[in-house]
Amino acid sequence: MQLTPQGGPAPANSGAAIKDADMSTFMADVIDASRQTTVLVDFWAPWCGPCKQLTPILEKVVKASNGTVRLVKVNIDLPQNQPLAQQLRIQSIPAVYAFRGGQPVDGFLGALPESQVKQFVERVAGGKLEASPVEEILAEAKAALEQGDVELAAGTYAEAQSIEPTNPAVLAGIARTAVQMGELDRARQALALVPAEHANHADVAGAKAALALAEQAQGAGGDVANLRAKVTADAADHQARFDLALALVGAGQREAAVDELLEIVRRNRAWNEEAARRQLLTLFEAFGPTDPLTIATRKRLSSLLFA
């Protein structure tokens, strides 16, 4: 007999895409069923806050798969399910395991945003699902940002945040647009909302690097013209050249900033504990690994370092 979680809806019938299971039905609902299709198992408990965020997302993605995957929910707070949790070594929740061919093949811990849950399902099921609303909005925002329409991008990212408030890609996008609009406090606020488990998300890391560059540019201590004059007067003034590079970044002159940093590396790589090289690495992170300037500059830097 299947059990109904506390406060949850009645369990679906045996052929449903989403159902509840316990120790007595796990073999049929998960192990046997996974020989026919991919089965996700959501281990949860009524007292688990992140579970309440994740389970509705899992249900939504599974429903959208049109039978590609099934979802089985196991309440580990029930005494009869605790031996199952121990057998599968469930130490924290939410925990999601994907079963295929009678065996667990993949899984993740913690609450993920819808876009990442969808990617996980696509990976374990080997099929492409339709784009979620947030993914479509993110694509629009990124396109607007690439075309230089920062205000449109900011508004589009805000629309995405209303759907997924803690999506790391959305918050990173908000931070990036805020940096470009000179609103550094708003960028900091957006990044502060990123859940701890997504602190190393690639988009978040890039946004943090962009914010750090903007903060450095504010404290560079001079405008481009004055700093360029200092460098012209004394080509060995590496601090002035470094500050010039930061000012150029703040002015949006990325290529010129890269040139100045590479010149410091060429003249004195070890200056200020390799500050120029380290600053270039920060630029690469802020620009993104696939940015043409990142790719070209990495090659130039390698030529200097290994010449």
Side-chain angles (χ1 to χ4, degrees):
M1 178 179 178
Q2 294 182 12
L3 302 176
T4 302
Q6 300 173 20
N13 61 52
S14 61
I18 300 172
K19 62 196 309 184
D20 301 298
D22 61 18
M23 188 73 176
S24 66
T25 64
F26 193 83
M27 180 62 70
D29 292 338
V30 177
I31 304 302
D32 293 342
S34 71
R35 302 185 195 283
Q36 305 299 322
T37 187
T38 302
V39 178
L40 304 183
V41 183
D42 175 21
F43 294 94
W44 70 286
W47 46 261
C48 170
C51 297
K52 297 176 182 178
Q53 300 174 19
L54 178 64
T55 299
I57 294 174
L58 285 168
E59 293 177 347
K60 179 180 178 182
V61 173
V62 168
K63 288 177 181 177
S65 75
N66 295 319
T68 301
V69 295
R70 293 183 180 182
L71 174 64
V72 172
K73 297 180 287 184
V74 177
N75 179 1
I76 68 167
D77 208 34
L78 297 173
Q80 58 265 48
N81 289 339
Q82 290 173 7
L84 177 60
Q86 293 172 1
Q87 182 180 346
L88 292 173
R89 299 180 181 178
I90 304 299
Q91 297 181 339
S92 64
I93 54 173
V96 176
Y97 283 3
F99 282 75
R100 193 167 57 238
Q103 298 290 333
V105 294
D106 205 346
F108 65 85
L109 299 175
L112 299 181
E114 182 179 337
S115 57
Q116 292 187 31
V117 171
K118 179 175 173 288
Q119 291 172 2
F120 173 79
V121 171
E122 288 178 338
R123 184 170 70 250
V124 298
K128 196 73 175 175
L129 304 180
E130 294 182 3
S132 70
V134 168
E135 288 177 315
E136 293 176 350
I137 295 171
L138 278 173
E140 293 174 6
K142 289 179 180 179
L145 201 56
E146 290 172 357
Q147 294 168 8
D149 195 336
V150 181
E151 291 188 2
L152 176 59
T156 308
Y157 280 121
E159 180 185 354
Q161 189 186 22
S162 69
I163 301 173
E164 291 188 16
T166 59
N167 184 311
V170 172
L171 293 171
I174 291 173
R176 275 191 177 277
T177 56
V179 167
Q180 293 196 27
M181 297 169 75
E183 300 175 2
L184 302 192
D185 284 340
R186 188 162 68 88
R188 295 185 193 100
Q189 292 168 4
L191 290 172
L193 295 175
V194 175
E197 61 266 29
H198 302 310
N200 296 322
H201 188 283
D203 290 345
V204 172
K208 287 180 179 178
L211 175 60
L213 287 173
E215 291 171 335
Q216 288 177 322
Q218 281 188 340
D223 60 29
V224 171
N226 289 334
L227 290 168
R228 193 175 293 283
K230 286 186 178 181
V231 173
T232 300
D234 182 3
D237 187 344
H238 300 318
Q239 186 62 58
R241 193 182 296 277
F242 187 85
D243 291 342
L244 172 59
L246 296 180
L248 288 167
V249 170
Q253 300 180 45
R254 303 191 314 164
E255 292 85 353
V258 162
D259 289 342
E260 298 299 344
L261 291 171
L262 286 172
E263 181 62 15
I264 295 174
V265 174
R266 187 187 71 81
R267 288 175 173 270
N268 186 350
R269 170 184 171 178
W271 173 77
N272 196 17
E273 299 181 346
E274 298 192 44
R277 182 188 64 82
R278 290 186 286 108
Q279 189 65 35
L280 282 168
L281 298 181
T282 300
L283 286 176
F284 297 158
E285 195 167 33
F287 298 164
T290 61
D291 187 290
L293 184 57
T294 296
I295 296 171
T297 306
R298 281 191 183 279
K299 293 179 180 178
R300 294 174 63 190
L301 178 61
S302 295
S303 296
L304 288 173
L305 297 177
F306 302 107

